[in-house]
Amino acid sequence: MRIGELAARTGVSVRSLRYYEERGLLSSSRSAGGQRHYTDGEAERVALIQRLYAAGLSSRTIVELLPCVDSPSEENSEVSLERMVQERDRLSQHITDLVRTRRTLDVVIATARAHQDGLRADAPGPCR
């Protein structure tokens, strides 16, 4: 299938598919005219890439993990497993940081609301 069909089938832009290919995440064959052609399996690969991106992985990290998908072996599995653990730990730290930031915002919001309530209580006349 050509790049436009792959884009339509996967819901990923043509530009993104070209980027994936440029980064080594996706491969295609070329016609005599230079047009990209993809197999049906590439649609599944694009879905996998999208899931990995949604999980917060960078294209560099995804490239490091794909050998385990492309040619599973004990060596590839060990390297990929180690990398996935590193990514999970990074995401866990990010979640911890986000929770801390949310707590700080909760305090700031509560302070701002208390301040507004104080201003309303001090307001003269019918605006109270």
Side-chain angles (χ1 to χ4, degrees):
M1 81 184 87
R2 291 175 42 189
I3 194 167
E5 184 180 344
L6 182 61
R9 189 182 290 189
T10 61
V12 174
S13 71
V14 169
R15 181 177 178 193
S16 291
L17 294 173
R18 287 186 184 123
Y19 174 77
Y20 293 172
E21 195 166 339
E22 179 183 301
R23 298 294 297 169
L25 301 170
L26 192 63
S27 62
S28 66
S29 60
R30 298 288 180 130
S31 70
Q35 293 179 329
R36 292 173 170 90
H37 289 276
Y38 300 92
T39 64
D40 288 338
E42 296 303 318
E44 292 174 24
R45 187 171 184 99
V46 169
L48 172 63
I49 292 165
Q50 289 294 108
R51 286 193 305 273
L52 293 173
Y53 271 129
L57 278 63
S58 67
S59 60
R60 180 184 306 163
T61 300
I62 295 169
V63 165
E64 292 175 18
L65 297 177
L66 287 177
C68 188
V69 173
D70 296 336
S71 52
S73 69
E74 189 172 329
E75 180 183 344
N76 286 343
S77 294
E78 287 297 319
V79 170
S80 294
L81 180 61
E82 184 178 314
R83 188 66 173 122
M84 286 184 281
V85 168
Q86 289 172 352
E87 283 301 308
R88 187 204 54 216
D89 291 347
R90 182 188 64 78
L91 289 171
S92 293
Q93 183 59 52
H94 187 62
I95 290 167
T96 299
D97 294 344
L98 287 171
V99 168
R100 186 178 306 120
T101 300
R102 184 180 60 196
R103 278 193 221 121
T104 301
L105 281 173
D106 287 343
V107 170
V108 172
I109 289 168
T111 301
R113 284 189 175 141
H115 179 71
Q116 282 183 337
D117 291 345
L119 291 176
R120 287 186 194 112
D122 292 341
C127 295
R128 247 196 266 203

